[in-house]
Amino acid sequence: MERWPWPSGGAWLLVAARALLQLLRADLRLGRPLLAALALLAALDWLCQRLLPPPAALAVLAAAGWIALSRLARPPRLPVATRAVLITGCDSGFGKETAKKLDAMGFTVLATVLELDGPGALELRACCSPRLRLLQLDLTKPADISRALEFTKAHTTSTGLWGLVNNAGHNNVVADVELSPVATFRSCMEVNFFGALELTKGLLPLLRRSRGRIVTVGSPAGDMPYPCLAAYGTSKAAMALLMDTFSCELLPWGVKVSIIQPGCFKTESVQNVGQWEQRKQLLLASLPRELLQAYGEDYIEHLHGQFLHSLRLALPDLSPVVDAITDALLAAQPRRRYYPGRGLGLMYFIHYYLPEGLRRRFLQTFFINHCLPRALRPGQPGSTPAQDAALDPDPNPNPGSSPMTAQ
């Protein structure tokens, strides 16, 4: 059987030269991903030289290099020109930093805040150009949303509206579902879902006309069952599904939709320990007496402490999220999902591919690990002898031993 001849040495040199040219033209950022890719390519080169003939080794190495470059090279971006973007929730955190960066890039930024005289609004006025316009917006008030729609139309008559960044978010409780008042679920849905839905629908005529972008800041809590974040997570899950629906329905109009799923970052709301303490006290005061007795005040204190401890791992640099939002607005082919933050790849791998028990244990280890409710502790009123036997490792404890509490 006749075999195809290997290309000549000159042909392989041409392949290598083209790969080198692509490397020089690629928009690459020097960082850990690029250094890791270069290290892997060096290891692959060492293996190929020992296991393959030179032509095959060069072909494998060139293919691997091309794949690595295509993954690491920043995709081509559209020019900023006179594009206008509306960003919600610019009082602090991701919204404020995104507004500052886009303004510096030359965008016309319409930034909404809860308070026009608040610290975030004052900072934006001080450090941004006259192109940036501030607007007071409470997403729970239809009148505010109607005013924001008219404001946006009036300030984009010459430029059109290129992008909407749904960044405003709300969460005011960290507790089990049974301990969380139904009102907290409603308040999260009002801001994180219904308010964003009404604003997005109102701006769709402008976005369809410009064939623009919708970028929504979501949360991994909307993809996986984070302990004690049910009110927040369900609202973010609803928003993610809505954006996926918009992505399909708006495809014929040329409108591209992206969702940013950030990890834990040190925004102002995350660092405000006093605010979380106040919310915990309000939760304790609102609980029915029977429910508080069943779980115990120490149970809620334990959840609160675990939550605050998890926030110590939050990343101080918000630029990965800001960069993801910017890429979603300007990339010629933006991603449907962005995952800025440390460890998210591992987290999603565990969530999608490992057994449920391991998934639950992982979230408990790195976020909140419940202790045992008071009513389920051995020897407490309401616990049954069968529960006591199952929970107590020593069926005949010493008279002076204390009840065992799961940590």
Side-chain angles (χ1 to χ4, degrees):
M1 182 177 179
E2 184 178 359
R3 300 178 61 184
W4 291 96
W6 284 103
S8 63
W12 290 115
L13 288 175
L14 182 60
V15 171
R18 287 178 176 174
L20 179 60
L21 183 61
Q22 183 177 357
L23 173 62
L24 295 174
R25 290 179 175 176
D27 185 5
L28 294 171
R29 296 179 179 179
L30 183 61
R32 282 181 294 180
L34 178 59
L35 294 176
L38 293 176
L40 288 174
L41 287 175
L44 181 64
D45 177 50
W46 183 84
L47 286 173
C48 289
Q49 289 183 18
R50 283 153 179 79
L51 300 176
L52 297 174
L58 186 57
V60 170
L61 195 61
W66 181 85
I67 293 172
L69 289 177
S70 64
R71 292 283 185 177
L72 293 174
R74 190 169 65 179
R77 288 188 171 183
L78 304 174
V80 174
T82 59
R83 301 182 195 274
V85 176
L86 173 68
I87 310 172
T88 64
C90 295
D91 301 85
S92 62
F94 303 139
K96 183 180 70 176
E97 296 305 316
T98 301
K100 290 161 65 174
K101 176 172 182 176
L102 295 185
D103 176 77
M105 293 175 66
F107 277 92
T108 298
V109 177
L110 309 179
T112 78
V113 293
L114 275 174
E115 299 177 2
L116 286 173
D117 57 350
L122 295 177
E123 181 180 344
L124 289 175
R125 284 196 186 98
C127 69
C128 293
S129 72
R131 290 190 309 274
L132 184 136
R133 303 297 180 92
L134 289 171
L135 170 68
Q136 191 276 330
L137 173 62
D138 184 342
L139 284 171
T140 65
K141 298 178 179 178
D144 280 16
I145 295 176
S146 298
R147 187 171 67 250
L149 296 177
E150 295 302 321
F151 181 91
T152 304
K153 292 173 185 176
H155 287 84
T156 57
T157 52
S158 59
T159 61
L161 179 67
W162 172 252
L164 165 64
V165 180
N166 288 310
N167 168 72
H170 172 71
N171 179 39
N172 61 358
V173 67
V174 178
D176 293 14
V177 175
E178 188 177 14
L179 299 173
S180 304
V182 174
T184 62
F185 284 81
R186 289 197 176 101
S187 63
C188 283
M189 290 295 291
E190 283 294 334
V191 176
N192 301 340
F193 181 75
F194 288 113
L197 169 61
E198 187 174 352
L199 181 66
T200 304
K201 280 174 61 69
L203 293 175
L204 280 182
L206 299 179
L207 294 168
R208 286 191 286 103
R209 194 174 303 138
S210 66
R211 301 173 67 85
R213 305 290 169 85
I214 301 173
V215 183
T216 299
V217 178
S219 169
D223 288 335
M224 55 191 80
Y226 271 73
C228 301
L229 288 184
Y232 180 71
T234 50
S235 66
K236 289 296 186 179
M239 195 61 182
L241 182 58
L242 175 68
M243 289 299 117
D244 285 341
T245 305
F246 271 140
S247 181
C248 296
E249 295 177 349
L250 296 175
L251 189 61
W253 297 93
V255 177
K256 294 182 172 62
V257 181
S258 299
I259 302 176
I260 316 295
Q261 303 283 61
C264 189
F265 288 84
K266 283 187 179 178
T267 59
E268 285 86 338
S269 61
V270 166
Q271 297 183 81
N272 195 338
V273 178
Q275 185 180 61
W276 290 113
E277 176 67 27
Q278 182 182 17
R279 290 170 176 173
K280 181 200 69 178
Q281 296 298 335
L282 290 174
L283 175 65
L284 286 170
S286 68
L287 288 178
R289 182 178 178 182
E290 181 183 356
L291 195 58
L292 185 58
Q293 288 179 344
Y295 279 87
E297 185 173 339
D298 59 334
Y299 179 89
I300 298 173
E301 292 286 353
H302 174 80
L303 296 182
H304 180 71
Q306 291 266 298
F307 174 68
L308 294 182
H309 178 75
S310 72
L311 297 184
R312 297 175 187 173
L313 302 176
L315 302 175
D317 182 14
L318 306 186
S319 62
V321 181
V322 176
D323 291 343
I325 294 173
T326 305
D327 189 76
L329 288 170
L330 287 179
Q333 295 296 329
R335 304 177 197 169
R336 292 277 296 276
R337 290 284 198 281
Y338 291 82
Y339 299 97
R342 185 185 302 159
L344 285 181
L346 174 62
M347 185 183 302
Y348 275 91
F349 175 82
I350 292 173
H351 176 67
Y352 285 119
Y353 298 109
L354 296 189
E356 181 183 355
L358 290 177
R359 299 200 302 263
R360 184 171 58 251
R361 191 175 303 171
F362 177 82
L363 288 176
Q364 290 174 344
T365 301
F366 291 95
F367 189 57
I368 291 178
N369 189 10
H370 292 76
C371 68
L372 205 60
R374 178 187 295 168
L376 296 179
R377 297 169 194 167
Q380 291 293 325
S383 64
T384 66
Q387 287 174 331
D388 289 355
L391 294 169
D392 194 342
D394 184 1
N396 298 304
N398 294 326
S401 63
S402 60
M404 179 180 178
T405 302
Q407 296 296 326

